[in-house]
């Protein structure tokens, strides 16, 4: 018995299963009806009862190892593709190359165009606390944005929420840097909304400038530059008075395109304003010395306008038939 098992081990160690024929021979010699394992089984059966346990487990181990070797070799042979290497002048096999998501493309384009006029990128966490997202930005205690219906709060952690805008990065930046400050903060934001023009996750890019003698006119010039660079010259721009707790005065900016009948179709693309002195004070910046402006642009909306995407949800489904177009 011992000799036979050694012989099986030796042959298995030497086996080199590189072809179908090798596999067949291996099967015939070792695994088959007249193979070595079968002979070992016959011998095993004839052993006196007391010796059986000693050899039984070794026999079983060899059997399953041989079966596995054989199967693995067959599987591997099945996946080998024959390549036409004999003609190296043939064109190569095309590899599928992905592309950047349209939102990433728009975000990169915006970052680049603001970089060109001296804005650096600032970042902040997507899981924010109430102070950075609301209080420091001058939101009153009972503001509707603080309602569960508008904001995703963390269960069991009263002070944790998914940031509803990138404006909290203004606070983090003002606390960490001394003026002059000139930053943009692109990133993901979250709100309890879901329809063709609202997604529970979307993207904004925040701008913040703090310096001495900063005025509304400076801000307008930067925003005109942004529209020119991003949309081209064929767009009209208008500012409408608005309200945000963290800016005073505040405005919203629309861009408009002339329709064939001559009328202009307006679309809101950002909020902006001069940083409220209360916000500067919350960040230990003296409003008597410094002033600033801020703006928040919706990236998804820009992507929808630029590529004429009718439903925001298309941007989040990751359907390659949609994504391939960009
Ligand atoms: N945080 C505002 C929002 O999400 C957008 C915004 C408005 C940002 C005015 C600003 C700003 O920086 O000055 O609706």
């Amino acid at each position: 018995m011992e000799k036979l098992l050694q012989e099986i081990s030796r042959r298995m160690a030497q086996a080199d299963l590189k072809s179908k024929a090798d596999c067949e021979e291996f099967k015939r010699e070792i695994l088959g009806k007249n193979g070595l394992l079968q002979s070992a089984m016959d011998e095993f059966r004839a052993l006196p009862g007391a010796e059986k346990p000693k050899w039984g487990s070794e026999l079983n181990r060899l059997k399953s190892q041989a079966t596995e070797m054989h199967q693995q070799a067959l599987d591997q042979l099945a996946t080998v593709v024959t390549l036409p290497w004999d003609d190296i002048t043939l064109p190569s096999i095309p590899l599928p190359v992905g592309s950047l998501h349209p939102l990433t493309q728009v975000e990169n384009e915006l970052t680049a165009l603001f970089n060109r006029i001296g804005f650096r990128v600032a970042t902040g966490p997507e899981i924010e606390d109430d102070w950075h997202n609301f209080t420091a930005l001058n939101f009153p205690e009972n503001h509707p944005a603080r309602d569960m219906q508008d904001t995703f709060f963390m269960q069991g952690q009263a002070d944790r929420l998914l940031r509803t805008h990138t404006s909290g990065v203004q606070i983090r930046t003002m606390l960490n840097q001394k003026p002059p400050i000139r930053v943009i903060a692109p990133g993901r934001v979250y709100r309890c909304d879901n329809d063709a023009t609202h997604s529970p996750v979307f993207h904004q890019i925040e701008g913040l400038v703090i310096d001495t003698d900063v005025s509304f006119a400076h801000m307008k010039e930067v925003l005109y530059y942004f529209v020119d660079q991003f949309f081209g010259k064929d767009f009209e721009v208008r500012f409408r008075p608005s309200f945000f707790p963290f800016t005073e005065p505040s405005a919203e900016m629309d861009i408009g395109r002339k329709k064939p009948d001559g009328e202009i179709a307006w679309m809101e693309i950002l909020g902006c304003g001069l940083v409220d002195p209360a916000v500067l004070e919350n960040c230990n910046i003296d409003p008597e010395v410094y002033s600033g402006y801020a703006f928040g642009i919706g990236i998804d909306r820009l992507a929808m306008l630029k590529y004429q995407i009718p439903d925001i949800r298309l941007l989040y489904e990751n359907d390659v038939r949609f994504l391939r177009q960009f």
Side-chain angles (χ1 to χ4, degrees), residues 136-138 170-171 174 245-246 275-283:
L137 286 162
N138 208 29
Q170 289 186 23
I171 303 299
M174 286 189 273
F246 39 93
V275 178
D276 194 301
V279 175
L280 294 176
E281 270 169 10
N282 289 338
C283 301

Side-chain angles (χ1 to χ4, degrees), residues 173-201:
T173 307
M174 286 189 273
L175 288 171
N176 287 329
Q177 291 177 28
K178 294 225 164 333
I181 291 171
R182 202 173 175 83
V183 292
I184 45 161
R188 253 179 239 130
V189 299
Y190 304 83
R191 282 182 211 174
C192 301
D193 269 338
N194 198 12
D195 60 39
T197 51
H198 298 88
S199 157
V201 51

Side-chain angles (χ1 to χ4, degrees), residues 36-308:
L36 292 173
L37 278 166
Q38 189 53 49
S39 315
M41 281 302 281
D42 295 342
E43 258 187 52
F44 176 76
R45 249 180 243 115
L47 286 176
E51 287 203 34
K52 281 191 171 161
K54 185 170 161 204
W55 301 110
S57 60
E58 176 66 359
L59 183 54
N60 275 334
R61 193 185 63 77
L62 285 176
K63 192 170 174 185
S64 49
Q65 202 182 336
T67 314
E68 197 178 316
M69 263 177 78
H70 180 249
Q71 191 56 48
Q72 264 181 10
L74 283 180
D75 290 349
Q76 207 161 16
L77 284 168
T79 59
V80 171
V81 188
T82 329
L83 296 170
W85 291 128
D86 46 349
D87 184 352
I88 59 164
T89 64
L90 284 177
S92 63
I93 299 162
L95 294 174
V97 179
S99 59
L100 292 177
H101 191 280
L103 286 172
T104 309
Q105 290 184 32
V106 170
E107 186 178 305
N108 289 350
E109 189 180 337
L110 290 169
T111 306
L113 77 85
F114 282 111
N115 280 167
R116 286 200 288 278
I117 52 168
F119 285 78
R120 294 177 165 228
V121 173
T123 55
E126 287 173 28
I127 300 176
E128 252 307 0
D129 55 48
D130 179 276
W131 191 78
H132 288 92
N133 196 76
F134 293 127
T135 308
L137 286 162
N138 208 29
F139 278 77
E141 209 50 62
N142 53 357
H143 192 282
R146 289 184 138 152
D147 197 279
M148 303 274 274
Q149 308 217 312
D150 291 306
T151 302
F152 292 108
F153 289 92
M154 302 275 158
Q155 235 165 18
Q157 295 209 36
D159 193 36
R160 289 274 181 278
L161 50 91
L162 294 180
R163 66 178 181 189
T164 57
H165 52 187
T166 42
S167 302
V169 183
Q170 289 186 23
I171 303 299
R172 291 181 177 275
T173 307
M174 286 189 273
L175 288 171
N176 287 329
Q177 291 177 28
K178 294 225 164 333
I181 291 171
R182 202 173 175 83
V183 292
I184 45 161
R188 253 179 239 130
V189 299
Y190 304 83
R191 282 182 211 174
C192 301
D193 269 338
N194 198 12
D195 60 39
T197 51
H198 298 88
S199 157
V201 51
F202 59 106
H203 299 75
Q204 290 185 336
I205 189 163
E206 187 84 15
L208 175 72
V209 172
I210 307 286
D211 207 338
T212 48
D213 305 313
V214 174
S215 78
F216 207 89
H218 294 132
M219 179 183 79
K220 284 176 88 172
E221 196 53 35
V222 161
L223 294 176
Y224 288 148
Y225 158 84
F226 143 66
V227 172
D228 251 24
Q229 294 277 313
F230 190 80
F231 289 104
K233 303 262 178 215
D234 302 338
F235 283 83
E236 305 280 328
V237 174
R238 76 176 180 195
F239 286 87
R240 280 178 294 104
S242 183
F243 174 79
F244 299 101
F246 39 93
T247 44
E248 183 61 35
S250 307
E252 275 163 295
M253 194 175 96
D254 301 336
I255 62 164
R257 200 193 324 229
K258 259 210 178 88
K259 294 192 286 187
D261 62 6
E263 219 188 298
I264 298 178
W266 294 104
M267 168 99 158
E268 180 209 321
I269 56 165
L270 62 86
C272 60
L274 295 184
V275 178
D276 194 301
V279 175
L280 294 176
E281 270 169 10
N282 289 338
C283 301
N284 312 318
I285 292 178
D286 184 353
E288 298 295 330
V289 181
Y290 293 103
S291 54
Y293 63 84
F295 54 88
I297 307 173
I299 295 184
D300 305 61
R301 195 162 268 194
L302 293 192
M304 289 168 77
L305 273 172
K306 182 157 189 153
Y307 301 122
Q308 302 186 16

